[in-house]
Amino acid sequence: ILLLSSYLPPHPGGLEIVVEREARALARLGHHVRVITSDIGSVSWLLYPENLEVYRVPAWNILEERFDIPWPIFAPSLVPLLWRQLHWCDVVHVHGTLYMNTFLGLVLARALGKPAFLTEHAGIAQYASRFKQALQWLAMETVGRASVRLARRSIGLNARIVRLLRRLAGRADGPRLTTTWAT
């Protein structure tokens, strides 16, 4: 199972914790799990079981550091790594509709005929800045819409996010959605 996430611990946040718990739970069940995430220079002393591998791709985190927009800009080495790991895996689970690694993973998974599932954690966040709000809306209406349509199934963690995913799917035969998800 290949998991894609923008961040993992030690980066703070809820998405990071959910993805790490999912990876560990799947490994405990005996699955071989690989995670591709950003390496933003934070050192991780976390130990993982042998059937759980974490690939940290160099990334520039300037948008979060300067503008409080958590969106790592991955190094070009992401592309060959994703390509290799997508050939390795049976299924892909991406976390977040807007991130570089998740969107590219969905595109490549579709090209390779791999089943890909998407979990959206936050939906549209509220920013005080109108510019940030407009930028996020534009990203969701373009990249987010494409991500939802590329995924075989989209998962929202609450009813508000499910409504957003349904709207982005835009058609009756679009991806199935659920509000329940457990690690």
Side-chain angles (χ1 to χ4, degrees):
I1 299 168
L2 179 62
L3 303 177
L4 304 179
S5 175
S6 56
Y7 301 106
L8 275 184
H11 186 275
L15 178 141
E16 296 85 333
I17 293 167
V18 169
V19 175
E20 186 179 57
R21 286 181 180 171
E22 176 189 11
R24 288 181 182 279
L26 290 168
R28 271 193 309 276
L29 291 170
H31 298 285
H32 293 279
V33 180
R34 294 180 181 173
V35 182
I36 297 177
T37 190
S38 64
D39 180 355
I40 55 172
S42 54
V43 177
S44 174
W45 301 101
L46 300 170
L47 298 175
Y48 297 107
E50 70 178 47
N51 58 334
L52 171 54
E53 298 174 63
V54 175
Y55 296 89
R56 294 181 186 266
V57 178
W60 196 32
N61 205 33
I62 191 78
L63 294 175
E64 183 175 46
E65 292 165 1
R66 293 220 176 135
F67 306 107
D68 197 31
I69 298 172
W71 199 82
I73 300 168
F74 285 81
S77 59
L78 172 66
V79 177
L81 176 63
L82 267 174
W83 189 253
R84 284 190 310 274
Q85 299 312 316
L86 282 163
H87 276 89
W88 166 83
C89 74
D90 294 319
V91 65
V92 183
H93 185 184
V94 308
H95 290 266
T97 58
L98 300 179
Y99 299 106
M100 286 178 74
N101 66 331
T102 59
F103 177 72
L104 185 57
L106 288 165
V107 169
L108 294 176
R110 172 68 65 93
L112 293 171
K114 297 284 181 161
F117 302 89
L118 177 148
T119 295
E120 177 56 35
H121 295 252
I124 296 183
Q126 297 302 310
Y127 289 107
S129 162
R130 284 184 171 178
F131 176 74
K132 285 183 189 178
Q133 203 65 45
L135 186 63
Q136 181 183 216
W137 177 86
L138 180 62
M140 193 61 79
E141 292 300 319
T142 55
V143 175
R145 183 178 309 278
S147 293
V148 170
R149 291 179 180 191
L150 287 165
R152 180 173 286 181
R153 183 173 187 174
S154 294
I155 302 159
L157 298 184
N158 62 48
R160 177 184 56 83
I161 295 170
V162 168
R163 282 191 303 274
L164 171 67
L165 294 172
R166 283 195 175 119
R167 185 177 62 72
L168 294 174
R171 56 188 198 281
D173 65 336
R176 296 183 318 169
L177 300 149
T178 184
T179 57
T180 57
W181 183 81
T183 56

